Amino acid sequence: MRIVHTIAELRQALAGSTRTAFVPTMGNLHEGHLSLVKLAKEHGGPVVASIFVNRLQFAPHEDFDRYPRTLERDCDLLRSVGCNVVFAPSEEELYPEPQVYKVHPPEELAGILEGHFRPGFFTGVCTVVLKLFNCVQPRVAVFGKKDYQQLMVVRRMVRQLALPIEIVAGETARADDGLALSSRNGYLSPAERAEAVRLSMALRQVELALRVEKRTDVAAVEQEAVDELRRRGWAPDYVAVRRRTDLQPPAPEELQAGEPLVVLAAARLGTTRLIDNLEI
Ligand code: PAF
């Protein structure tokens, strides 16, 4: 496995490759990332993983500075699953001058849910992802469903800008108790870690209410999930039932007709903000 830090080295390492499969990450890798690398291997090769904590997608009060940087361990893990190239650029390499050309995804998709609570987040994501795509020039790129809205925003960017890249979605990896794996889980105290599973349980509750109990009062179901999390000491940003196609709320008749839905949630536990979702 080659580890490269500059765009020039990366281009040299990938010269002549026509089936490159790419997994962008911010490092501090866990089983979820590794499953995306394994999926990438099924779709092409060489497999390139990038490790870059992208300042552009963090608001000033967010965790950019304390986001764990664990390059050596990450590289060991990537090597163990057969990754071929790691691209780990410095900030100076990727942003040698202020990044004033940016990709602004449409409000109707990127200004809701995560985009509402983290203004500018998807602009930062799209800008770095497009830049990384230009560096790596993959045929396939793999994104996890854990960041469901991100996956949709990137898919739409690729379609709208006619990028010759297939976007493949990887399932969310979960701990035995159901907690979605996330680099931010490492911030949790032991007590918070034990409580954290309640977020995925809240999603299951919503699924049960809509799909088994056949309730149609979606807003009330969402509110009950929010209230329950709040009672347990969480500070929820949202629990939202949305159409999988465009992340808009389903109309009552679509609910009756079994429209494919996803329930998405974001909530803070102590100082840690967790997100999760469930296709229902
Ligand atoms: O999902 C992430 O880790 C990041 O948002 C990504 C796609 C690597 C862009 O910085």
Side-chain angles (χ1 to χ4, degrees), residues 24-26 52 54 57 121 125 128-129 143 147 150:
T25 83
M26 297 206 298
F52 181 68
N54 174 38
Q57 69 192 69
F121 171 68
V125 168
V128 81
V129 167
F143 288 79
D147 296 289
Q150 168 174 278

